[in-house]
């Protein structure tokens, strides 16, 4: 998915330069010439990342950033300050205002694009959690937005991985003023330590003796228990290329030696605040309301959740001018399965069907049990052609292998029919999209079942 970048600068030449660099990498670029305009665009959720100049006439970048980060509606948007100011005091002032990074002009294309891509991945993940949390709020759960804005980022648990004693002693002393610090000088033990410690932040030196610090970062990203823990990498200036590689594999932020005390604390607080916020979102979505939004038999979302969340997805698609695909799936002759093999066998089929659905769709897609043997899959930013390929792949997955029932003692053939359509018209009612998909499903069943039928808007 292409991120939408908001470039804020009162100098047209600077705007054009950044716009050209980002457009060449297939990002969607928006521009604003002052802070007031930038705040308005951000409040309408029209951007994914903000590249913000500091020196502007009406409102400087520090104040713009502070307002963005103290507004519950915009605090989650990553902000990168891009400015000619290069003193530690200026950089720290930006980080204290809540900026996710502070890049000094002239910024190399490689550094700029690597940072934007890294923050894009983070924003996409947070957006998915936020969207589901909005649905949770609608059915009575409390959103964590205001507590996130008030969070100071202090009092975190940090694991510092560094095998140079002079280095880790200084860093630990600095960090201990605000956090609980554990030091792991043995990099071969660091991953086990990180998995067991329930940390809010990992700080990893990339200049370890006889060990690749980037490999440790990559392993932390692949391990379930450390996958969502932010990583702050530290390296010597000559290793800046490795830092850029680190951003590609999941490092959240970095510092170059010599380490400025204030900047280290500011960057640690930023990462810990973000970790707590996303943890709160996950808790709201995945734990607190699981029973209210999940179909107990299949583990998929239920119809109640689908109807609320689909409205949110459709509104977002209309606002951004992006396609939204929707398919309704029906298990063919399901009544005969219950009649011939019993309702226990029917339940076995429904459970296995849900497993195969999950394997055939993306993490951002929404799969729900609509009722009985009918299911709905919603695919954001997906046109009719791509959705048709996914639907056909899913149809083959169901028909290609018999379903085990009665604890594996019997295997039965199962097929599905699929009706597919897309939301193409801005502001179109969700009910109309569902009705169009249902009409396509009726045609699929009428034409012989075990097939996909598409119907354009």
């Amino acid at each position: 998915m292409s991120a939408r970048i908001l470039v804020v600068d009162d100098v047209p030449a600077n705007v054009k330069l950044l716009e050209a660099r980002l457009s060449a990498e297939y990002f969607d670029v928006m521009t604003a010439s002052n802070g007031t305009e930038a705040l308005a665009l951000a409040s309408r959720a029209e951007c994914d990342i903000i590249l913000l100049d500091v020196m502007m006439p009406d409102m400087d970048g520090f104040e713009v950033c502070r307002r963005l980060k103290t507004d519950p509606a915009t605090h989650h948007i990553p902000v990168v300050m891009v400015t000619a100011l290069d003193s530690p005091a200026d950089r720290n002032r930006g980080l204290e205002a809540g900026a996710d990074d502070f890049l000094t002009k002239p910024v190399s294309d490689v550094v700029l694009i690597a940072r934007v891509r890294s923050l894009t991945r983070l924003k996409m993940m947070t957006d998915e959690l936020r969207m589901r949390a909005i649905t949770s709020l609608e059915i009575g759960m409390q959103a964590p937005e205001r507590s996130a804005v008030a969070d100071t980022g202090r009092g975190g648990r940090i694991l510092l991985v560094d095998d140079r004693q002079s280095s880790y002693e200084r860093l630990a002393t600095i960090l201990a003023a605000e956090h609980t610090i554990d030091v792991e000088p043995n990099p071969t033990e660091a991953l086990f330590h990180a998995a067991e410690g329930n940390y809010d932040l990992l700080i990893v030196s990339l200049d370890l003796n006889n060990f690749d610090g980037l490999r440790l970062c990559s392993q932390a990203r692949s391990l379930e228990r450390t996958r969502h823990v932010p990583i702050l990498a530290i390296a010597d200036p000559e290793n800046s290329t490795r830092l850029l590689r680190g951003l590609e594999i999941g490092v959240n932020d970095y510092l170059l030696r010599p380490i400025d005390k204030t900047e280290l604390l500011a960057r640690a607080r930023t990462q810990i605040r973000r970790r707590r916020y996303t943890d709160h979102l996950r808790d709201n979505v995945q734990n607190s309301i699981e029973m209210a939004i999940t179909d107990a038999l299949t583990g998929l979302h239920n119809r109640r959740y689908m109807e609320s969340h689909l409205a949110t997805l459709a509104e977002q698609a209309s606002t951004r001018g992006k396609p939204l695909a929707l398919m309704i799936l029906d298990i063919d002759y399901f009544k005969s399965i219950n009649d011939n093999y019993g309702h226990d066998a029917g339940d076995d089929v429904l459970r296995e069907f849900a497993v195969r659905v999950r394997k055939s769709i993306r993490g951002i897609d929404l799969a729900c049990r609509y009722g009985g043997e009918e299911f709905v899959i919603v695919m954001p930013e997906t046109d009719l052609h791509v959705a048709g390929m996914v639907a056909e792949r899913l149809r083959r997955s169901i028909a290609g292998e018999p379903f085990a029932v009665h604890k594996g003692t019997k295997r039965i053939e199962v097929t599905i029919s699929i009706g597919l359509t897309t939301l193409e018209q801005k502001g179109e009612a969700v009910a109309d999209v569902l009705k169009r998909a249902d009409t396509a499903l009726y045609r699929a069943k009428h034409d012989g079942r075990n097939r996909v039928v598409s119907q354009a808007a």
Side-chain angles (χ1 to χ4, degrees):
M1 291 181 289
S2 176
R4 184 169 293 184
I5 314 297
L6 173 61
V7 176
V8 187
D9 198 314
D10 63 321
V11 179
N14 293 341
V15 172
K16 290 295 184 183
L17 180 60
L18 284 173
E19 186 175 15
R21 288 177 174 178
L22 295 165
S23 297
E25 297 295 328
Y26 304 103
F27 291 107
D28 293 333
V29 181
M30 308 168 59
T31 63
S33 59
N34 57 68
T36 302
E37 186 181 355
L39 291 171
L41 289 170
S43 68
R44 295 197 295 267
E46 294 184 3
C47 59
D48 295 306
I49 297 174
I50 299 174
L51 299 184
L52 179 62
D53 186 35
V54 171
M55 306 302 292
M56 293 186 294
D58 70 324
M59 184 190 310
D60 69 26
F62 298 124
E63 177 62 17
V64 174
C65 185
R66 188 192 65 78
R67 294 192 187 189
L68 288 167
K69 293 299 184 177
T70 55
D71 185 344
T74 58
H75 79 97
H76 63 285
I77 302 175
V79 176
V80 178
M81 289 191 165
V82 184
T83 175
L85 301 176
D86 61 355
S87 73
D90 291 319
R91 183 165 58 250
N92 293 331
R93 186 181 174 193
L95 294 171
E96 289 291 346
D100 294 83
D101 206 349
F102 193 101
L103 301 180
T104 304
K105 298 175 182 176
V107 181
S108 77
D109 290 356
V110 174
V111 171
L112 176 67
I113 299 305
R115 203 68 184 99
V116 169
R117 284 177 176 159
S118 173
L119 290 170
T120 295
R121 289 192 296 268
L122 179 65
K123 176 64 162 48
M124 295 297 182
M125 178 195 72
T126 304
D127 277 353
E128 176 61 18
L129 290 172
R130 289 186 70 253
M131 194 177 303
R132 295 185 187 277
I134 290 171
T135 303
S136 305
L137 183 63
E138 290 171 356
I139 60 177
M141 299 306 298
Q142 183 176 0
E145 309 291 342
R146 296 200 176 275
S147 62
V149 169
D151 189 354
T152 64
R154 293 176 169 85
R157 285 180 49 81
I158 298 176
L159 176 63
L160 171 61
V161 183
D162 193 342
D163 57 5
R164 287 193 281 182
Q165 185 175 355
S166 61
S167 173
Y168 68 67
E169 286 181 348
R170 176 175 181 268
L171 296 178
T173 300
I174 294 171
L175 292 164
E178 297 185 356
H179 308 282
T180 300
I181 308 298
D182 289 336
V183 176
E184 179 53 79
N186 184 354
T188 60
E189 297 293 327
L191 191 62
F192 300 102
H193 198 160
E196 297 298 326
N198 190 30
Y199 291 102
D200 298 301
L201 176 64
L202 303 181
I203 299 180
V204 180
S205 170
L206 300 189
D207 307 302
L208 300 167
N209 292 318
N210 304 316
F211 197 91
D212 187 350
L214 285 183
R215 182 169 298 279
L216 175 60
C217 296
S218 176
Q219 290 171 338
R221 279 291 164 262
S222 64
L223 189 66
E224 178 65 29
R225 299 180 70 175
T226 56
R227 183 167 299 158
H228 302 299
V229 180
I231 300 173
L232 174 62
I234 294 177
D236 291 328
E238 60 268 21
N239 280 344
S240 58
T241 301
R242 282 171 53 76
L243 278 173
L244 298 180
R245 176 62 176 150
L247 291 174
E248 294 177 1
I249 64 175
V251 168
N252 298 80
D253 201 358
Y254 63 86
L255 278 167
L256 294 175
R257 291 188 172 95
I259 303 300
D260 178 78
K261 172 184 175 179
T262 306
E263 184 173 359
L264 172 62
L265 291 171
R267 290 186 185 272
R269 288 195 295 267
T270 295
Q271 295 305 320
I272 290 172
R273 278 196 301 267
R274 189 177 291 277
R275 165 68 191 271
R276 289 171 177 168
Y277 175 58
T278 55
D279 279 354
H280 287 161
L281 289 175
R282 290 190 184 92
D283 288 344
N284 266 18
V285 175
Q286 297 177 6
N287 299 318
S288 301
I289 61 170
E290 184 176 354
M291 296 303 296
I293 65 173
T294 303
D295 174 63
L297 179 63
T298 64
L300 299 177
H301 289 297
N302 59 22
R303 181 169 181 165
R304 179 187 184 187
Y305 182 87
M306 186 277 292
E307 289 176 342
S308 181
H309 192 54
L310 176 57
T312 303
L313 289 170
E315 181 180 358
Q316 184 182 68
S318 293
T319 300
R320 295 197 165 201
K322 300 288 186 179
L324 178 76
L326 182 146
M327 62 180 83
I328 300 182
L329 308 84
D330 185 90
I331 300 177
D332 296 329
Y333 303 112
F334 186 73
K335 184 177 183 299
S336 68
I337 295 175
N338 285 330
D339 291 344
N340 295 330
Y341 299 97
H343 288 279
D344 287 346
D347 288 349
D348 289 340
V349 168
L350 290 171
R351 280 190 286 264
E352 174 61 21
F353 177 78
V355 171
R356 298 191 193 185
V357 165
R358 288 193 191 95
K359 291 180 179 178
S360 299
I361 63 175
R362 304 166 300 179
I364 64 169
D365 298 331
L366 174 66
C368 305
R369 186 180 180 190
Y370 198 48
E373 67 273 22
E374 278 195 342
F375 297 79
V376 170
I377 297 175
V378 185
M379 305 181 70
E381 299 195 20
T382 306
D383 60 26
L384 196 62
H385 174 69
V386 173
M389 293 190 293
V390 174
E392 183 59 30
R393 182 176 69 227
L394 179 56
R395 184 198 65 79
R396 290 196 301 268
S397 170
I398 301 302
E401 182 179 353
F403 281 57
V405 299
H406 295 161
K407 297 182 179 180
T409 60
K410 293 183 180 179
R411 299 176 70 82
I412 60 178
E413 302 289 337
V414 177
T415 62
I416 58 172
S417 300
I418 301 177
L420 173 65
T421 191
T422 55
L423 171 74
E424 298 288 355
Q425 303 172 21
K426 187 172 183 178
E428 183 179 16
V430 167
D432 293 340
V433 182
L434 283 166
K435 183 176 181 180
R436 193 161 58 247
D438 194 54
T439 300
L441 173 63
Y442 176 81
R443 283 178 49 204
K445 298 178 79 67
H446 181 268
D447 292 347
R449 295 180 167 83
N450 190 23
R451 66 191 63 223
V452 177
V453 171
S454 301
Q455 183 164 324

